[in-house]
Amino acid sequence: MAVQEIKKNVYWVGTVDWNIRSFHGYSLARRGTTYNAYLVLDDKITLFDTVPEDFKWDLYHQVRSLVKLEDIDYMVVNHVELDHSGAFPFMYDRIKPEKVFCSTMGEKAIAGHFHRDDFPLQVVGSGDEISLGKKRVQFMETRMLHWPDSMFSYIPEDKLLISNDAFGQNIASSRRFDDETDKSVLFAEARHYYANIILPYSQLVQKVLAKVKEAGLEIDMIAPDHGFIWRSYVPEIIRAYDEYSRQVTKNKAVIVYDSMWKSTEKMAKAVGEGLFEAGTDYRLMALKTYHHSDVIGELADSRILVCGSPTHNNGILPLVADFLTYMKGLKPVGRIGAAFGSYGWSGEAAKDIHKVLQEAKFETPADPTRVKHVPTHEDLAACKELGKSLAAAAAEK
Ligand code: FEO
């Protein structure tokens, strides 16, 4: 981990978290993450964002390798979630900047998080511009990307957009740029991140993309606060965000389930066979094996979700209930859903899942498919028929 100049006199001074495994319910066991912060050396030396509190000394040493902290003039808080502001009070106390720039909602969030009134906050909004000397910073509020306080900072002289959470990916790496890693992994992780973090705010993403277009911002580098910095694939990631936020899906299915004695698992496999026979690729994901956030990563471009649980104590198995709660909060749209599951006597689970799918505004073309005890050959044939009917419904969308 070393500072890196990303544009003339603009430095990455962030930290790499190789070992993080969970980010409030989002599993990062795949690749860890980074917390990016940026330092601009100009007449007014400016630090954009910080890192989690645990990493404050890493940030300190990164910045200190370039300047004395007391020589920094400004701090910009693009977002108050603690992965970007946890080290803010620590750095503030050593920098004592002349000004701290944040959005209107950022001012409130800073007060609510740090309970101090000595920060020299200057509230900025869309269209506001400050001069650092040779470079300027233009601000754009991006409410709900990812919190109400979020904003972008744009440096027109460098055509550089510091985008905070937007355009991020959770990948820890010793490298900083998009063209220094495997492109297919990079875009897969960008989509996975979008699906787990940004998805509920997709309509706002469309508005921000329109605002960026309308403002005519020339962008040749996007520096997010997580993962790689985009310099070679800028138009592609902007196009990808347009696609992600329109929730464009493929004729693909995710079958997610938990099982007690494998009856529901047998049903899951039979549904998969039916889907495949009708021309729809599918992925089978047992929740004992796959984390809920990895299922969401797969659902990102899948049109069909088939969800199964046996009935347990008159309800859904806990892993399935956990998945449904997580999934519902992310508000996927334009999907087809179906429920299935085995039962012994009361049989509520599949009906309960069906209800959740309807509440989450999935199209539910089929009634819940239920099997008492262990599925017979005929029961499995009915599950296959379910798969075929879902494939047909998806093909029509
Ligand atoms: Fe990376 Fe919303 O924080």
Side-chain angles (χ1 to χ4, degrees), residues 29 69 72 125 165 190 214 231 242 258 281 313 347 375 377 379 393-394:
L69 269 68
I72 296 174
D165 278 336
E214 190 186 301
R231 68 177 176 190
D242 178 47
D258 194 10
D281 284 326
N313 294 337
H377 186 76
D379 291 329

Side-chain angles (χ1 to χ4, degrees), residues 23-24 35 79-84 145-147 150 164-165 193 197 225-226:
F23 185 85
H24 56 53
Y35 312 109
H79 180 24
V80 186
E81 189 163 13
L82 290 166
D83 50 333
H84 309 296
L145 290 182
H146 159 230
W147 277 8
S150 299
N164 197 262
D165 278 336
Y193 174 100
I197 301 277
D225 276 9
H226 297 286

Side-chain angles (χ1 to χ4, degrees), residues 37 52 56 73 76 99 125 136 177 202 216 275 312 339 361-362:
K56 64 189 178 196
D73 301 282
V76 174
K99 289 177 184 171
R136 294 166 292 158
F177 288 108
S202 288
L275 282 160
H312 175 252
K361 305 206 168 22
F362 280 63

Side-chain angles (χ1 to χ4, degrees), residues 252-284:
K252 249 179 79 182
V254 181
I255 304 171
V256 60
Y257 68 96
D258 194 10
S259 197
M260 288 163 67
W261 295 104
K262 298 197 183 293
S263 287
T264 297
E265 184 167 82
K266 286 175 184 150
M267 296 175 74
K269 288 178 179 171
V271 173
E273 283 171 31
L275 282 160
F276 184 69
E277 281 180 18
T280 297
D281 284 326
Y282 68 96
R283 183 149 180 203
L284 205 70

